[in-house]
Amino acid sequence: MLPLIYHPIYSDFPLPEEHRYPLQKYRLLKEHIDKQCWPVEYHLPSSIDWQLLCEQHAPEYVTALINGTLPLVKMRRIGFPWSEALIRRSLTSLGGTLLTVDKALEHGCAVHLTGGYHHSHFDFGSGFCLFNDLFLAARHALTKPDIERVMIIDCDVHHGDGTATLAADHNDIITFSVHCDKNFPSRKPSSDMDLPLPRNTDDADYLSQFIPAVTLAVHQYQPDMIIYDAGVDIHIDDELGYFSVSQGGIRKRDDAVMALCKDHQIPVASVIGGGYRTDQSTLIPLHAELVRSALSIFHSHQTE
Ligand SMILES: [Zn+2]
């Protein structure tokens, strides 16, 4: 059984009517997976202790955000209105990415049905990211026996700027970002490996550059664990991405990452990452590719 990490709270915090964030996609994805009768088992995460965050973020930033006293201009940069429910959801989803690491170490592969807050920096959040779960999860993995180096493979269409800066001084956390060169964030601090691709990159261009690069990265750094952000905002119809990748391209990308992990016997904790469409239901088959891929590669389960 493939471990999936999910909490109903993921789609449950107040947003203004016209807000572009696809809040219902988590619930819709869970419902879609349930209908497939795939061999998965759900694990319910708990909220983390917020004080844990003071080890990686500025304590003043953490306490202000938790208490709702962060200046409005800084909340606007994050992109959500403050609410207690938002904070509860955020701390629970951080717990979810940590649980995904634990389950991946136990079973080889686990998938979190949210996560990927790569625009969260040391003392500010941006782009719908409050606290950085990828960096927190990498640090968590490094506390486990025999895990000496963790690689974060970030395939969201947006550059993993927060993760890159947080991990900059950590030789045991390797960051790899493949992203659109002309997209948010405008400032892209260096990851350990960056693969910027131009607007309108299609399946053939994406796969022919990404697969050799990620294979090289794994060979070069030989990580003991991989954290994979499988953002689907690389899709041609995404409203915040400028790539021209199809659902088939996303499938091949996810299969390639999963196969790389399986072949090298590296446990992989995946998060679904970004994906933005006004009609949220159209995102579901794209995010479901990650689960399908994990089942196919790690469990030899043919889904169709
Ligand atoms: Zn994104």
Side-chain angles (χ1 to χ4, degrees):
M1 300 285 257
L2 174 71
L4 297 183
I5 288 71
Y6 173 80
H7 197 296
I9 205 175
Y10 291 168
S11 288
D12 190 15
F13 64 89
L15 279 184
E17 192 81 355
E18 292 302 309
H19 201 285
R20 76 189 338 181
Y21 194 78
L23 188 59
Q24 296 310 315
K25 74 175 184 180
Y26 310 103
R27 180 180 59 78
L28 296 172
L29 178 60
K30 160 85 164 58
E31 287 171 7
H32 172 84
I33 293 167
D34 288 346
K35 277 192 218 130
Q36 312 303 314
C37 300
W38 285 340
V40 297
E41 59 181 24
Y42 284 98
H43 298 273
L44 194 70
S46 345
S47 168
I48 60 158
D49 179 349
W50 64 267
Q51 290 178 3
L52 210 62
L53 295 168
C54 296
E55 294 164 19
Q56 71 179 45
H57 293 289
E60 317 81 71
Y61 168 67
V62 175
T63 48
L65 189 44
I66 297 286
N67 297 329
T69 56
L70 198 69
L72 202 59
V73 61
K74 292 196 171 180
M75 277 314 295
R76 203 178 308 129
R77 190 166 188 184
I78 290 173
F80 294 133
W82 190 90
S83 63
E84 266 177 36
L86 171 69
I87 299 305
R88 211 163 35 241
R89 191 268 186 212
S90 181
L91 296 178
T92 307
S93 62
L94 289 158
T97 305
L98 299 192
L99 184 57
T100 309
V101 164
D102 293 343
K103 293 296 167 189
L105 289 172
E106 256 175 71
H107 300 274
C109 176
V111 178
H112 191 198
L113 302 186
T114 187
Y117 312 124
H118 59 171
H119 302 309
S120 166
H121 292 249
F122 176 69
D123 56 2
F124 68 95
S126 73
F128 309 135
C129 302
L130 287 78
F131 303 114
N132 197 306
D133 64 323
L134 302 172
F135 184 66
L136 186 73
R139 289 178 48 239
H140 175 69
L142 288 167
T143 65
K144 306 287 180 180
D146 305 319
I147 305 293
E148 291 175 1
R149 188 178 280 169
V150 178
M151 180 178 283
I152 299 171
I153 298 175
D154 186 342
C155 287
D156 191 283
V157 78
H158 304 100
H159 180 256
D161 58 337
T163 318
T165 51
L166 284 168
D169 296 331
H170 294 254
N171 293 333
D172 46 9
I173 301 177
I174 310 301
T175 52
F176 176 105
S177 177
V178 51
H179 51 271
C180 179
D181 61 357
K182 290 197 177 57
N183 199 339
F184 181 89
S186 53
R187 197 178 148 265
K188 299 176 180 61
S190 295
S191 315
D192 290 295
M193 282 186 81
D194 280 301
L195 178 58
L197 297 174
R199 288 188 177 195
N200 302 316
T201 290
D202 62 10
D203 287 15
D205 288 339
Y206 187 92
L207 297 165
S208 67
Q209 298 195 66
F210 168 64
I211 295 176
V214 75
T215 305
L216 179 73
V218 168
H219 286 172
Q220 192 171 323
Y221 290 104
Q222 305 198 346
D224 304 306
M225 164 145 228
I226 284 174
I227 296 171
Y228 175 41
D229 183 334
V232 299
D233 42 15
I234 62 169
H235 190 267
I236 185 165
D237 295 327
D238 196 88
E239 289 161 16
L240 298 183
Y242 300 109
F243 279 174
S244 301
V245 177
S246 72
Q247 182 172 343
I250 290 173
R251 171 175 295 203
K252 288 186 181 138
R253 175 199 70 176
D254 290 347
D255 280 352
V257 173
M258 290 293 162
L260 192 60
C261 296
K262 175 98 186 305
D263 291 349
H264 292 78
Q265 296 179 293
I266 305 170
V268 55
S270 303
V271 302
I272 67 168
Y276 305 91
R277 300 268 285 273
T278 308
D279 179 358
Q280 301 183 32
S281 64
T282 57
L283 291 168
I284 304 314
L286 307 182
H287 282 306
E289 286 295 346
L290 176 64
V291 179
R292 190 210 52 79
S293 180
L295 283 168
S296 149
I297 306 284
F298 275 86
H299 296 263
S300 305
H301 180 80
Q302 295 313 315
T303 50
E304 57 209 299

